[in-house]
Amino acid sequence: MSTAAAAPMLPAVMRAAAKRRERLVQLLILAALALLVPTMTKYLPWADDAGVLPIKPRDYTLLTLAFAGVMVMLNKPSICPAAFFMLIVPLLRVLDAAFLQRFTVTALGDHSIVVMTLISNFLVTFTTVLLLSAEPWRRVAMWVAVCTSLVCAGCVYYEWLGFRSFTRIDGRMAGFPTDPNDPPIIISLMLAAIFTLNPRFWWNVALIAVVTPAIALTLSRSGMAVYSCLLLAYIVGNLRHHFMGMLLIFSIAVPLAIGGVAILSQTSTKIGIVSNKDTMDRLKAIYELDFERIKSPERGKDLQDGWEAAGKEPLWGHGTGAGTSLWKPHNQVVSLWIDIGIFGVLLYVGNLLLLTFRVFTLRLRGFYCLVPLWLFIPCSQILTESPHYWFTAAVCCNLVYTGRFRLVLGSPAKAEEPSHTPLPQS
């Protein structure tokens, strides 16, 4: 074949290769959505309890884990060591519960069920970070974050409309997680990743408008406070470039917020499920961002008991599970201290401090991710068990840490060495 005939074939070959790469990326995104969205929104345990899942959650998780792992390997993964190093803390909890068994949890019937749950959560979390190691990790993160936030908000609206009841606390919407405090945590973490990766301001504003009422329907004081701080950070970060747009948004959002609070208070009062005082206290604390009223006296007592428990075993803790089933301090640092001791706390807080230092040295790159990563610590005790928490942390790590280790399925072809044989002379 002549050179002139081969030249037109080169673009066709390149287009075919590009199509193959795009198909692999699409399959990677599909694998990430199939694994992470049902897990992060806690659809799997709810579907299993409701009897609407055709297979066991364990089998579904294993199948999607395998599918996701294969697709990552086919999409040129490059490992960010810092993102995986943060997973040492949940790994220590798994090893402690599985092998040392210093604390036995029987709330679910048997301690082995708790161990299997921790192992499943860790495998999903590890695969979550691995999915963000693939070459098109930004596209994967955006698809997962958007779909997770929409599904989480959608199931809250579905419950509010009266089609089905999910919540375990009457009068507050919860969706698939069944705990009204979970949707604000999930949505805030997803929005933090979206704000970090997506520069399109009005696209993000539209998403905020869709999910904000869902967070309000949960009546979560701490969740709404952290969510408000995240929105405030986003407003400050975009105020210079979108000042007139901000004025338009405020002129529309403030009346809607006032009307929404009034509607929520009247609806909760008429239903008769939640007392007037509890509803009004929650709404006023959220609306006015009164952090003194956001604090719960019961949680304050739980936190005090947790500190006392951590002081009894400060070095090694009481064993994994004690901080979430026996004392329940509603504080991730205290809960971790109760579980695995001060060294686990130092690892956890040290990694977050190092990540924060990197963010500030790189001119606040990834700053939005830090807001929920830090602010939910005094509000929740199960962050280290949540894949969505480590998802946002991995997004931040991939942005601020440049060191990578490339993984390839085969060794690259070696270039031919130049011949040292002298050319024949004419």
Side-chain angles (χ1 to χ4, degrees), residues 30 33 170 211 272 308 315 347 373 382 406:
L30 179 62
L33 294 177
D170 293 335
V211 302
E308 293 177 359
L315 287 181
L347 273 174
L373 288 179
I382 58 172
R406 174 73 70 181

Side-chain angles (χ1 to χ4, degrees), residues 49 56 99 141 168 183 249 254 270 303 400:
D49 293 338
K56 294 181 178 180
F99 296 103
R168 62 180 180 84
I249 292 171
V254 171
K270 289 180 179 178
L303 180 59
V400 301

